[in-house]
Amino acid sequence: MADFEGLFPAIITPMRRDTGKLNEAAFREVMEFNIQAGVHGFWVAGGTGESIFLDDEENMRIAEIAADQSKGRIKNIMHVGAPTTERAVALAANAARAGVEAICCVPPFFYRQSDEAIVEHYRAVGEAANLPLFVYNLPQSTGVEITPELMLKIQDVVPQLKGLKHSAPTFPNVRAFANMGLDCFIGSSLLMLPAMTIGAVGCVDGPPNFAPELWLEIWDAYNAGDIKRAEVAQEKASEATMLVREFGLHPTAKAILSERLGIDCGDPRAPGRPLTAEQRATVLRRAEEMGILKVAVAQGDG
């Protein structure tokens, strides 16, 4: 299996204002913007991508678009999580047909399942795609924490298991997962640098998809052995993350990308709420003050 490391923005799902449906052209532009910036891959249709608010057909189409747009230049990790094993298996099989490089999956949620049921869920999903599989550890939303003990059970049964996105608040488990031989991405863009010092292979989060250069600077500095430069870069990047936390991930990311790329990424899907006119003006002013809107990134032909 190929190595997975670096900056993998959790990409937004742009929506059309007239229909509220997927805006394929805008999705491709956001992908290309990040590819040209130098990201190493994408976490597609995850939490930032509003996957739980998309129907299965939309998620399947997004997998096809992502694979087509990247054309093998980066690695796509496609989210296939769903409340039922049947749906997750169908999404996983589609992702493999579409040509993505890997899949990721939250554990089954809403009804609390036994460890044995969770392991069986991942076994079926991994078998359906037969691609590198990343567990999406997001207990704040799913109500299920993948502990190192539970991960060992999954590892024993799922040969496709490659790693995880660790978004749980149990930060020290990054080291435990790394010691298990797993590719552990930290799921908080506030913690990219400290996580890499204890074994994380990189970062997956939403804020980097509107300002990838901020987190790529952390990656480049750390790998060059320049920790002071990496610390300065993390501090600057964290300002952008805090802006998102103040005004909400989906509307803030979409507003900044719309302004920065000169496209319309739409609003969050209901029940998500858009920014008010006053909030949007504040977000864009703050982003400009941070230098985000002033940094041009060359666009490719894709």
Side-chain angles (χ1 to χ4, degrees):
M1 293 182 182
D3 290 329
F4 290 79
E5 63 177 16
L7 181 65
F8 278 60
I11 192 169
I12 65 165
T13 300
M15 309 286 186
R16 296 180 60 90
R17 289 191 185 277
D18 53 351
T19 63
K21 299 297 185 182
L22 168 68
N23 186 331
E24 179 174 327
F27 184 85
R28 288 179 180 274
E29 289 206 44
V30 174
M31 278 196 75
E32 192 61 33
F33 160 70
N34 276 274
I35 291 170
Q36 295 298 322
V39 304
H40 306 97
F42 292 102
W43 189 265
V44 184
T48 300
E50 302 176 80
S51 64
I52 301 304
F53 293 162
L54 305 177
D55 62 37
D56 290 355
E57 289 72 23
E58 287 176 309
N59 273 303
M60 288 181 178
R61 179 57 185 151
I62 286 170
E64 296 168 354
I65 298 167
D68 178 67
Q69 186 65 28
S70 66
K71 296 178 174 66
R73 292 175 292 168
I74 49 84
K75 295 183 176 73
N76 287 303
I77 304 176
M78 179 70 199
H79 182 243
V80 300
T84 67
T85 302
E86 181 180 21
R87 286 176 59 198
V89 161
L91 290 170
N94 175 79
R97 289 192 298 269
V100 301
E101 286 72 22
I103 59 171
C104 58
C105 188
V106 291
F109 52 89
F110 193 82
Y111 296 110
R112 184 64 173 91
Q113 303 295 329
S114 66
D115 284 3
E116 291 72 23
I118 293 169
V119 171
E120 176 58 22
H121 180 83
Y122 279 115
R123 186 204 61 75
V125 169
E127 188 176 82
N130 199 27
L131 292 172
L133 168 65
F134 287 79
V135 168
Y136 190 175
N137 194 15
L138 186 65
Q140 305 93 307
S141 297
T142 64
V144 179
E145 179 164 4
I146 306 296
T147 62
E149 294 75 21
L150 177 52
M151 188 67 87
L152 277 172
K153 295 178 182 179
I154 298 170
Q155 194 173 39
D156 284 344
V157 175
V158 184
Q160 296 85 8
L161 180 66
K162 178 65 172 170
L164 74 155
K165 175 186 176 184
H166 184 55
S167 298
T170 47
F171 183 76
N173 282 350
V174 169
R175 188 65 185 166
F177 291 128
N179 285 339
M180 293 168 62
L182 298 173
D183 292 346
C184 181
F185 286 95
I186 190 67
S188 170
S189 50
L190 292 170
L191 298 173
M192 181 175 179
L193 178 58
M196 289 194 296
T197 67
I198 62 169
V201 297
C203 178
V204 172
D205 202 2
N209 85 138
F210 65 75
E213 69 279 2
L214 298 182
W215 283 270
L216 287 168
E217 172 69 4
I218 301 170
W219 175 257
D220 291 343
Y222 180 77
N223 283 285
D226 192 341
I227 299 302
K228 183 60 180 177
R229 178 181 148 209
E231 289 173 345
V232 172
Q234 178 68 77
E235 184 68 23
K236 184 175 181 181
S238 294
E239 290 183 44
T241 300
M242 294 312 295
L243 181 63
V244 162
R245 293 197 172 194
E246 183 177 348
F247 290 96
L249 172 57
H250 301 124
T252 301
K254 289 185 175 186
I256 293 175
L257 278 163
S258 294
E259 184 72 14
R260 186 168 186 183
L261 303 187
I263 60 178
D264 187 357
C265 293
D267 291 320
R269 178 163 288 180
R273 299 295 298 160
L275 299 174
T276 65
E278 181 180 1
Q279 288 172 329
R280 187 176 189 279
T282 299
V283 164
L284 295 181
R285 174 180 57 78
R286 297 259 295 274
E288 186 172 19
E289 290 170 353
M290 292 176 197
I292 293 171
L293 300 183
K294 298 175 183 176
V295 180
V297 176
Q299 294 290 286
D301 297 332

